[in-house]
Amino acid sequence: MQTTHTGGVDGEGNVVDAGAKSRQRGVFESRYTTRFRDILDGTSNTIACGEIVTDAGNLEINSQPKMNQQDPFFFDPELCYRDNVDPNRPQFWANANDTGAADQRRGKRWADGRPMFTSVNTVRPPNKESCLWGGDGSDGTYTMGSRHQGGCHILMADGAVKFITDSIEAGNQNRATLPKAGQPGEESPYGLWGALGTKAGKETKSLE
C-alpha cells in the first residue's frame, strides 16, 4: 500500500499529533478509511500500491532495511544510503549491522500490518534502500522494488498497472521529508515520483 507513516494516531485510534495527520499524503493512512472521492489529484495520477522484493538474505538494499537510523536521515533521505552502502556493489549494504532479524525484512510476515511488510512511499526511487527511524513498525523511507531489470510495477488508483524505471525523476533527494520539515499542502520535493504518491496535493503530474 502507498502510505506514509502512522498519521499521528496511537494504537487506540486517538489523534496524538494533528500536524502529522495533516501531512499525510499517500492513498492509504494507518487507521483511517480512504474513499475514491478523497483522491483529488485523480485516480490515474496517483499510486495506490507498489511492488516490493522478498528478502533473500544477501544484504540487498531493496529488501533488507537499515533500522535505527533515528532523525538525521529524515532531513536528508540519501544519508542512510551514502553512509551504509557497499561502494563496490551499490545494490548491497556494506555490512549486516541494523538490518534486523530474518523475519523483519521485506516479503516476510505478509499478514503483519507494520509498515515494513505492507507499506511503500515515494521518497526514494524504485530499488533504492529502505531506512527506518527505529524498528519494523517505525517511520521510514519504504521503497518499491522488484527483480525485474531496471524498475518495478505500480498499481494506480484507477486500477492501471504500470512499470516504473529506477531512473524516474525524483527531485531533490537531499531535501528533508515533509512529515519532518514540510507544511500541509506543500508540493513534494521528490519530483514526478513524489507527486505520484500524493492523493490530494494538487500535483496532477502524469506518467503519460
Side-chain angles (χ1 to χ4, degrees):
M1 297 187 301
Q2 206 289 108
T3 182
T4 41
H5 64 114
T6 54
V9 183
D10 66 18
E12 302 301 319
N14 303 305
V15 176
V16 295
D17 181 354
K21 173 66 177 76
S22 69
R23 291 188 294 267
Q24 281 285 340
R25 303 174 67 83
V27 167
F28 298 102
E29 303 177 36
S30 179
R31 305 186 181 97
Y32 284 91
T33 299
T34 300
R35 295 178 172 83
F36 283 114
R37 68 187 183 210
D38 299 321
I39 306 174
L40 303 182
D41 288 352
T43 56
S44 63
N45 299 322
T46 306
I47 296 173
C49 300
E51 195 172 7
I52 64 172
V53 174
T54 297
D55 178 55
N58 58 0
L59 296 181
E60 287 177 289
I61 64 172
N62 61 359
S63 63
Q64 287 188 223
K66 276 291 181 181
M67 299 183 179
N68 304 313
Q69 298 300 299
Q70 305 298 306
D71 279 345
F73 93 96
F74 279 130
F75 294 94
D76 179 358
E78 203 173 48
L79 178 66
C80 175
Y81 177 81
R82 294 196 307 267
D83 285 355
N84 295 289
V85 75
D86 183 339
N88 297 315
R89 304 173 72 221
Q91 290 300 313
F92 295 85
W93 296 120
N95 57 62
N97 296 343
D98 292 317
T99 56
D103 68 346
Q104 288 183 295
R105 299 166 183 168
R106 287 297 213 186
K108 311 297 183 180
R109 289 159 52 186
W110 63 268
D112 191 320
R114 295 183 186 187
M116 189 67 234
F117 315 108
T118 63
S119 296
V120 293
N121 51 38
T122 55
V123 177
R124 298 290 281 146
N127 287 308
K128 285 295 188 181
E129 75 290 346
S130 289
C131 289
L132 319 185
W133 188 91
D136 56 26
S138 65
D139 292 353
T141 52
Y142 292 96
T143 56
M144 303 178 211
S146 77
R147 301 201 187 283
H148 307 300
Q149 186 67 35
C152 71
H153 289 96
I154 59 171
L155 173 68
M156 306 303 287
D158 67 353
V161 175
K162 300 185 178 183
F163 187 79
I164 300 294
T165 65
D166 296 343
S167 60
I168 187 171
E169 194 274 307
N172 181 2
Q173 289 292 299
N174 304 122
R175 168 65 155 76
T177 58
L178 293 178
K180 290 296 180 182
Q183 298 298 318
E186 182 178 337
E187 182 178 6
S188 171
Y190 308 121
L192 172 59
W193 186 232
L196 291 171
T198 301
K199 71 175 181 291
K202 300 190 184 302
E203 298 180 71
T204 54
K205 297 179 181 178
S206 173
L207 288 168
E208 304 303 328

